[in-house]
Amino acid sequence: MHRRWVSQRHADCACRTISAALLYPPYGAAPMSTLDLFQSREAGPFGRRQKRARGARIPVTVVTGFLGAGKTTLVRRFLTTPEGRNTAVVINEYGAVGIDDALVRGTTDEVALLGNGCVCCITRSDLQVALRRLVIDRDRGALPPFERVLIETSGLADPGPILQTFATDRALGTEFFVEVVLTAVDAVSGVATLEWSAEARKQAILADRIVMTKSDLADPDEPARLTTHLRTLNKQAPIEIAVDGVLDPRCLTEPGAAERSGFVAEAEHSDGILSFVITEDAPLDFNAFARFMETLMALRGSDLLRVKGFLNIAGCRGPVLVQVVQHLSHPPVELASWPDESRLSRLVFITRGVPEQQVRNLFAAVRALAAANGGAEPGFVRPAARQ
């Protein structure tokens, strides 16, 4: 009995010591987490290594494309497939009366249950409110559980602000992860639309996958002309062909090869949008990289439309996924394995008027200053509380 009491007393002391370490770290040190005290084999400097970039978050597919490109037909077909089962559809449409959402839902109700375990809601104002409401209604049982969210944008929408929504709203960022941005382009009028519409060009530039629609209705040489035009905007996104909405459903659930390897076209566009890729052979010092991105965001954050890529960080087994949208950055995530054989760090920049050479010069300057500042060991420097 006495021995049991002593053991319990020691256990209580140990619990109080752990609680104190978690709540009251040494001065100047970052607060400790349970991960710091109980290390896991799957844990790296950036937390638990994830098999997928999204971890346990709900994947989001964004379907965009200019007016009349066939987005709704693609969505309707997808929802009838096994891959589209248990999908929550959010139709982000302009105007007082919705047409596309009625085609998908077959009803004028604001939120409707679809076949195949799917649910659809319409929002013409605040996408964040619609997504939060879906989560709340799901959690209280008002809606069936869903495994994916599909957002169909307005044909006039720039997908950039939608991507930024998930970066600016911390609550949404912890619940959802944008996995695929699919852009539909009409083969009949796509070339002309891309020439005059800045929104259409942005939709093509930010795509992980591009789907060419209505190729059966276009002149025989038009698909080839459109492909050539699209490649000047986005050299790496796979271009698929869909006739009457028939498309491999995995195109809406799996990122394109370009996104997995982190590459986007290097091109200059008439509306001031630049895209380029920075690669690095040697492992990077994450602390120097973080200072570089902080400086770049402070100086030109509003012009960083999208920054995304894999980094080979010294001391990490897998690639570290980093994402930045304007002034906000997602927490870095270490993946369990590389997506291909290459171990190059590769970072894609899509900017508004921020030249590649200036970005490279800033990165080189910050790395040189970091190396001269005491010769810190490369890699991720853990907070003092972890040592």
Side-chain angles (χ1 to χ4, degrees):
M1 187 73 174
H2 176 68
R3 182 176 302 168
R4 182 180 301 169
W5 178 84
V6 171
S7 299
Q8 183 64 47
R9 181 181 64 181
H10 286 184
D12 291 342
C13 290
C15 288
R16 284 195 295 270
T17 301
I18 292 171
S19 299
L22 292 170
L23 296 175
Y24 308 108
Y27 178 76
M32 297 178 69
S33 67
T34 53
L35 183 61
D36 297 303
L37 294 170
F38 305 105
Q39 293 290 333
S40 165
R41 287 185 180 179
E42 299 303 318
F46 301 95
R48 186 178 180 85
R49 296 183 181 90
Q50 303 290 346
K51 292 183 178 179
R52 294 190 175 193
R54 62 180 169 88
R57 291 176 289 178
I58 298 171
V60 175
T61 297
V62 178
V63 177
T64 186
F66 205 70
L67 299 168
K71 301 183 297 296
T72 301
T73 303
L74 289 173
V75 171
R76 290 175 66 186
R77 287 276 191 177
F78 173 70
L79 295 179
T80 64
T81 66
E83 289 83 356
R85 184 181 293 115
N86 299 327
T87 296
V89 182
V90 178
I91 298 179
N92 195 211
E93 189 170 48
Y94 290 141
V97 178
I99 301 299
D100 289 345
D101 62 286
L103 292 174
V104 172
R105 299 177 302 153
T107 174
T108 57
D109 296 339
E110 188 172 7
V111 176
L113 297 179
L114 307 177
N116 210 14
C118 300
V119 61
C120 178
C121 79
I122 174 70
T123 175
R124 297 185 184 87
S125 55
D126 196 332
L127 178 62
Q128 291 161 293
V129 171
L131 290 169
R132 286 198 196 97
R133 186 175 59 205
L134 280 175
V135 173
I136 292 171
D137 289 348
R138 178 202 62 184
D139 291 346
R140 66 185 181 89
L143 291 177
F146 50 86
E147 300 172 358
R148 173 175 296 274
V149 170
L150 186 151
I151 300 172
E152 181 186 338
T153 75
S154 161
L156 297 173
D158 173 1
I162 293 176
L163 300 178
Q164 188 180 2
T165 295
F166 294 91
T168 56
D169 191 308
R170 291 180 182 273
L172 291 182
T174 58
E175 189 78 27
F176 300 101
F177 180 83
V178 178
E179 194 159 53
V180 181
V181 179
L182 183 147
T183 297
V185 184
D186 176 358
V188 176
S189 58
V191 172
T193 302
L194 290 169
E195 288 176 348
W196 70 262
S197 171
E199 287 77 14
R201 289 193 294 272
K202 290 177 183 176
Q203 291 166 357
I205 290 167
L206 293 176
D208 305 332
R209 288 185 179 273
I210 297 174
V211 176
M212 188 184 302
T213 62
K214 306 181 185 178
S215 60
D216 56 321
L217 305 177
D219 292 338
D221 60 341
E222 205 60 26
R225 286 186 61 220
L226 179 56
T227 298
T228 300
H229 203 102
L230 288 168
R231 282 297 176 229
T232 68
L233 299 170
N234 191 330
K235 291 183 180 178
Q236 299 297 323
I239 299 178
E240 314 286 349
I241 303 293
V243 177
D244 196 23
V246 178
L247 182 70
D248 186 339
R250 291 175 296 180
C251 291
L252 285 87
T253 61
E254 298 178 3
E259 188 62 18
R260 285 197 295 268
S261 62
F263 284 95
V264 170
E266 302 173 26
E268 184 171 348
H269 311 288
S270 58
D271 41 12
I273 297 177
L274 306 173
S275 60
F276 52 89
V277 181
I278 292 180
T279 61
E280 184 69 30
D281 293 322
L284 295 175
D285 173 4
F286 185 80
N287 302 286
F289 172 80
R291 299 298 176 266
F292 152 68
M293 283 306 306
E294 287 168 4
T295 305
L296 185 59
M297 291 164 64
L299 295 173
R300 299 295 300 271
S302 60
D303 295 319
L304 300 177
L305 302 182
R306 193 179 188 190
V307 180
K308 185 174 183 179
F310 296 130
L311 301 181
N312 182 358
I313 298 298
C316 291
R317 283 202 320 243
V320 175
L321 174 70
V322 293
Q323 299 186 76
V324 172
V325 179
Q326 296 193 339
H327 287 285
L328 294 159
S329 61
H330 293 264
V333 176
E334 183 183 353
L335 304 184
S337 60
W338 286 84
D340 50 38
E341 296 301 320
S342 175
R343 297 297 182 266
L344 282 174
S345 293
R346 51 249 195 180
L347 198 63
V348 175
F349 287 81
I350 301 176
T351 74
R352 185 190 296 109
V354 182
E356 176 181 356
Q357 195 57 51
Q358 291 184 7
V359 175
R360 289 183 178 276
N361 292 345
L362 176 62
F363 190 25
V366 172
R367 293 176 71 183
L369 288 170
N373 186 24
E377 184 176 331
F380 181 79
V381 178
R382 294 170 178 255
R386 288 190 173 191
Q387 297 175 354

